[in-house]
Amino acid sequence: MSWDSLFLLTNYWAVAGWLVLAFAPRSPWVLSLILYAGVALLCLLYLVLIVGFLSGGIDPGGASRGDFTSLAGVMKLFDTPGGATLGWVHYLAFDLFAGLWIARDADGKGVGRIVQFPFLLLTLLAGPVGLFLWLVWRERRARAGARIGSR
């Protein structure tokens, strides 16, 4: 399989997980499906790729091999089709995991889907931004609830 094909396949796989997360009923079965068929499979692919790159068993498709010991080494790794795909799979796995955590946290706090949606969308598009804003929003909501409850 080419690096382009693997990149597209992982994108479609992650988007499918995000669509299920955003629009499907959140039964325990659906949440497990997203966790294991979505996040865990992306993590497994990442594991296979990184072990393959570090052991020399998989060629990342570039003239030079990068490493994780310096910025220059990481730049070399990401300058290859395999390295860029590796990095992208990393983002996809962690962003979907963060989105799943946000959705479960929000559901547990009784936050409706309409309120959740912007945080999930931001997490899909710019992972740490969506997660950070969710953390700020939930903290402010918790503090406001504590003030009301202490009166």
Side-chain angles (χ1 to χ4, degrees), residues 20-103:
V20 171
L21 181 62
F23 299 110
R26 292 207 187 121
S27 67
W29 183 86
V30 169
L31 294 173
S32 291
L33 179 72
I34 296 166
L35 180 62
Y36 294 108
V39 175
L41 282 179
L42 290 168
C43 291
L44 177 61
L45 175 59
Y46 182 86
L47 175 66
V48 168
L49 291 176
I50 196 153
V51 168
F53 291 168
L54 294 175
S55 69
I58 297 175
D59 178 13
S64 60
R65 268 185 72 183
D67 58 57
F68 293 103
T69 61
S70 67
L71 177 58
V74 171
M75 289 172 62
K76 280 183 187 177
L77 179 61
F78 285 3
D79 197 33
T80 64
T85 301
L86 174 74
W88 191 242
V89 169
H90 182 282
Y91 288 126
L92 292 174
F94 272 91
D95 288 355
L96 184 55
F97 183 78
L100 180 61
W101 180 83
I102 290 168

Side-chain angles (χ1 to χ4, degrees), residues 4 22 30 33-34 38 44 55 80 86 104 109-110 112 122-123 129 131 148:
D4 285 329
V30 169
L33 179 72
I34 296 166
L44 177 61
S55 69
T80 64
L86 174 74
R104 294 179 82 170
K109 292 175 175 24
L122 282 169
T123 304
V129 174
L131 178 59
I148 292 169

Side-chain angles (χ1 to χ4, degrees), residues 7-19:
F7 180 86
L8 285 174
L9 179 65
T10 58
N11 268 330
Y12 294 144
W13 195 255
V15 167
W18 278 101
L19 289 172

